[in-house]
Amino acid sequence: MAADTSVEIFSKVLETQILQSAKAIEQQLDEKLEKLDQMDEDELELLKQRRLEALKKAQQQKQEWLSKGHGEYREIASERDFFQEVKESKNVVCHFYRDTTFRCLILDKHLTTLAKKHIETKFIKLNAEKSPFLCERLRIKVIPTLALVKDGKTQDYVVGFTDLGNTDDFTTETLEWRLGCADIINYSGNLMDPPFQNQKKFGTSFTKLDKKMIRGKVYDSDSDED
């Protein structure tokens, strides 16, 4: 009998909380509608103009990104090109690859998809064998490695597939989440909720190097040789 009473009380409390939440939401909507009703034609026109300006600005930004090579995953030819690419874009993901490494082809597939989705970031690839100076400066020893560059500085690295679960079967969403953790893309998901079906299966030890300058001299990567 006591148990039934407790359940009944809990149900009534829950019902009361739901009704209160619903009333609060309804009140907020009523206030917004009332505010719109009270606007005169000039205010509505001003609101419309602001929205149009925001859309125009967003379109201009998109066109600027496209003109700088965003929106596609492409290969650059030389180390000199690398410095030019990172100089003109705020966010850059550079894949250091080798033709004979199968896992580089796996990354190519995922990066091609992400380049189209995240136009705010530039996605490029560079043959590590043709860029020895840059690989030495960035202490790149494992292939594949993604260098994540923000404002001309190497902010982070994705070395091999360690952060992606140490598996060749990781999803594009997993790589997207990892790039989101580095704030190199505009990630819309929850960074605290990785897209892993079995979180224990995946590695969580990031090889993060904070604020290392591309042309700097100090690096502390502890990666093993490939």
Side-chain angles (χ1 to χ4, degrees):
M1 189 69 178
D4 293 339
T5 302
S6 297
V7 171
E8 184 178 352
I9 293 175
F10 176 76
S11 298
K12 288 182 178 180
V13 171
L14 182 61
E15 182 179 355
T16 301
Q17 291 178 341
I18 293 175
L19 288 173
Q20 289 176 345
S21 298
K23 288 181 179 179
I25 294 174
E26 184 178 0
Q27 183 178 355
Q28 290 176 0
L29 290 175
D30 288 341
E31 290 174 355
K32 290 182 179 179
L33 289 173
E34 183 179 356
K35 186 175 181 180
L36 288 174
D37 289 338
Q38 292 175 352
M39 283 186 174
D40 57 28
E41 292 185 3
D42 290 340
E43 289 176 321
L44 288 173
E45 183 63 24
L46 180 60
L47 181 62
K48 180 180 178 181
Q49 289 297 324
R50 287 177 178 174
R51 289 180 175 176
L52 288 175
E53 288 175 3
L55 289 172
K56 183 179 180 180
K57 185 176 181 179
Q59 185 61 28
Q60 290 175 340
Q61 177 66 83
K62 180 179 179 180
Q63 292 302 320
E64 180 182 349
W65 282 331
L66 291 174
S67 69
K68 293 179 178 179
H70 292 227
E72 61 176 340
Y73 175 53
R74 56 193 172 82
E75 182 166 4
I76 58 176
S78 68
E79 295 173 323
R80 178 175 297 181
D81 290 338
F82 173 85
F83 287 107
Q84 181 60 38
E85 296 284 357
V86 301
K87 180 180 178 181
E88 65 183 18
S89 295
K90 180 179 180 62
N91 297 311
V92 180
V93 174
C94 183
H95 174 200
F96 286 87
Y97 80 98
R98 188 166 54 208
D99 289 328
T100 56
T101 303
F102 173 72
R103 281 187 162 186
C104 292
L105 298 178
I106 297 175
L107 268 183
D108 284 343
K109 178 185 69 173
H110 296 298
L111 292 172
T112 298
T113 300
L114 292 176
K116 296 176 182 178
K117 180 177 181 180
H118 291 281
I119 194 173
E120 74 278 4
T121 300
K122 178 182 291 182
F123 289 81
I124 54 179
K125 61 188 294 188
L126 179 60
N127 191 326
E129 295 179 336
K130 296 181 180 179
S131 51
F133 169 79
L134 192 55
C135 286
E136 181 180 356
R137 274 300 186 94
L138 298 182
R139 296 289 296 277
I140 293 175
K141 300 179 180 180
V142 175
I143 299 298
T145 285
L146 299 182
L148 312 183
V149 186
K150 180 181 285 290
D151 295 322
K153 300 178 181 179
T154 51
Q155 173 177 290
D156 201 352
Y157 293 98
V158 180
V159 180
F161 289 179
T162 302
D163 296 345
L164 307 173
N166 271 330
T167 174
D168 293 349
D169 298 325
F170 68 88
T171 63
T172 301
E173 290 73 23
T174 298
L175 178 57
E176 182 180 29
W177 169 82
R178 177 62 182 88
L179 297 179
C181 288
D183 194 30
I184 206 72
I185 60 172
N186 294 336
Y187 186 68
S188 59
N190 183 1
L191 292 175
M192 301 303 294
D193 185 22
F196 303 153
Q197 290 185 351
N198 182 3
Q199 194 166 351
K200 292 182 179 179
K201 178 181 177 183
F202 292 82
T204 56
S205 177
F206 294 166
T207 52
K208 186 171 183 180
L209 302 179
D210 293 326
K211 300 181 179 179
K212 302 298 184 183
M213 296 184 64
I214 290 176
R215 295 181 183 273
K217 297 180 180 180
V218 180
Y219 297 90
D220 54 5
S221 173
D222 57 358
S223 305
D224 296 326
E225 295 285 351
D226 185 29

